[in-house]
Amino acid sequence: RVRDRLEAMARKLRMARLGPEIFKLRHLLTHDNAVGLGALDRMTIPEYAARRFNDEILNYLFSPLLRGIWATSAHDHSVVQLLWTLRQMTYPLYSLDTGNGSLTEGLAQHHDMRYGHAVEHVADRGNHVEVDYTMDGARHSERFDACVIATPVPTTRKIFPAMRGVQKRFMEAIRFTSILCVHVALSRRPKNSETALMFPECEFDDVAVVYVNHNKAPGRAPAGKGSLSLYFTQEWSADKLDWHDENIIDVAMARLTPHYGDIKPLIEDIFVQRWPTFVMDATPGLYILMDEYHQSLIDNPPARVQ
């Protein structure tokens, strides 16, 4: 017993190292600034755990956290991704009561938003930017002083092929994960009070996390009703994107039942969401390229297309 208590105390002392490290990096690991992260991008998460902690902390803290936020394995991924995520867990989180969709709805109220315009090509013509798009089957072209492309990277590479230099190298290095999600609407809420269930990859090779949406914030589900979102890992999802919905739902139910009991009689709606482009696959070296890209913006005059 004394030995067990000593080992438990040693594990807690190892964990205590995280606090000062995250505090030291708090101004770097933020939402609005990624400059300088390349200096930390020197090892994978398992390498970091082996140097500073142990396999238990890797398997039951780092792994569930990475899977819970990014739906990906802690192995082969940059320690920067872990440190940034831990920083967000350490300081107050934010959430939109009405969901992320309210952000775009709010922006649309104050700007000239055009829907159904499929942009096909963006070109820097020197003194203006030319944007070609299709609307209602007809092609159009308009001129603008400048253009900010805020689309997923695969789309950006397609509509703006004239990227050059560091910008092109950075964009071509980015790879995205693909995942499957199962969303469940319930006629009443389970009694469980947790916001999320996280699953360590040493025990589960399929499910990454279950978010209990009605416990996340007010307005995420109608009063008295429940909402669950189960996210599978990118590794499990990669070759199952074309599975039938029924097969995916069966696996989801097998993971939900031990925690919430037989919820099938409570289900009012259920659907499978396929995300071919989910999040950036942050393997080591990507943040170094990100720093080089940012430095290129400082060294060169601002381009009309960003």
Side-chain angles (χ1 to χ4, degrees):
R1 289 183 177 180
V2 173
R3 181 177 179 179
D4 291 344
R5 287 198 294 268
L6 289 174
E7 288 180 353
M9 181 62 71
R11 288 194 293 269
K12 292 178 181 178
L13 289 174
R14 290 192 190 99
M15 288 285 295
R17 299 175 184 172
L18 276 174
E21 188 153 351
I22 299 301
F23 182 80
K24 181 177 66 176
L25 300 171
R26 67 191 185 282
H27 298 303
L28 182 60
L29 304 168
T30 63
H31 284 281
D32 56 352
N33 177 33
V35 181
L37 291 177
L40 307 175
D41 192 13
R42 305 297 180 187
M43 66 182 83
T44 64
I45 296 170
E47 289 170 343
Y48 174 73
R51 290 188 184 185
R52 302 295 304 276
F53 303 100
N54 56 30
D55 286 344
E56 185 180 34
I57 292 174
L58 170 64
N59 291 332
Y60 291 98
L61 176 63
F62 295 167
S63 166
L65 187 62
L66 259 290
R67 285 157 65 97
I69 302 299
W70 304 99
T72 189
S73 168
H75 298 280
D76 302 323
H77 283 80
S78 172
V79 69
V80 175
Q81 193 175 27
L82 171 70
L83 295 174
W84 188 93
T85 305
L86 284 169
R87 194 266 193 219
Q88 311 316 312
M89 298 295 104
T90 305
Y91 293 85
L93 297 174
Y94 67 87
S95 179
L96 299 174
D97 288 351
T98 50
N100 291 339
S102 60
L103 178 61
T104 51
E105 291 170 359
L107 289 170
Q109 294 174 5
H110 303 287
H111 298 279
D112 174 19
M113 307 296 291
R114 306 188 199 178
Y115 304 97
H117 291 55
V119 175
E120 297 179 348
H121 190 256
V122 175
D124 186 344
R125 300 304 186 192
N127 58 358
H128 69 275
V129 175
E130 193 173 90
V131 178
D132 299 329
Y133 62 92
T134 300
M135 181 185 66
D136 296 331
R139 295 200 59 173
H140 303 268
S141 181
E142 290 191 38
R143 292 185 174 190
F144 300 92
D145 292 334
C147 176
V148 175
I149 302 177
T151 60
V153 170
T155 304
T156 302
R157 292 197 294 248
K158 180 180 178 181
I159 66 176
F160 185 49
M163 284 187 291
R164 298 185 300 273
V166 176
Q167 184 184 53
K168 183 177 182 180
R169 289 203 304 274
F170 174 55
M171 291 291 180
E172 289 182 343
I174 296 175
R175 296 293 180 268
F176 281 86
T177 63
S178 302
I179 67 163
L180 292 164
C181 315
V182 176
H183 303 283
V184 186
L186 304 174
S187 59
R188 61 177 172 82
R189 299 180 178 184
K191 295 180 179 179
N192 309 53
S193 59
E194 70 274 358
T195 300
L197 290 173
M198 298 182 180
F199 297 79
E201 61 186 296
C202 61
E203 298 182 17
F204 300 90
D205 65 354
D206 45 23
V207 63
V209 63
V210 176
Y211 282 111
V212 188
N213 300 312
H214 55 265
N215 287 340
K216 287 176 69 175
R220 294 299 178 93
K225 299 201 174 187
S227 173
L228 305 173
S229 294
L230 182 148
Y231 291 75
F232 289 103
T233 67
Q234 65 158 348
E235 294 79 14
W236 189 85
S237 301
D239 60 347
K240 299 177 179 65
L241 287 176
D242 57 352
W243 265 25
H244 292 298
D245 285 3
E246 292 77 10
N247 295 336
I248 298 168
I249 290 172
D250 285 344
V251 180
M253 289 297 109
R255 292 291 173 253
L256 292 172
T257 300
H259 299 280
Y260 300 106
D262 183 11
I263 61 173
K264 289 184 179 179
L266 306 178
I267 295 176
E268 292 188 338
D269 193 14
I270 186 169
F271 72 95
V272 175
Q273 182 181 25
R274 292 167 171 80
W275 284 15
T277 303
F278 182 55
V279 294
M280 189 171 64
D281 196 10
T283 51
L286 187 64
Y287 295 96
I288 296 174
L289 279 173
M290 189 183 297
D291 275 358
E292 293 177 0
Y293 170 57
H294 179 264
Q295 188 61 45
S296 74
L297 298 179
I298 297 173
D299 295 341
N300 300 302
R304 288 184 178 271
V305 178
Q306 296 290 340

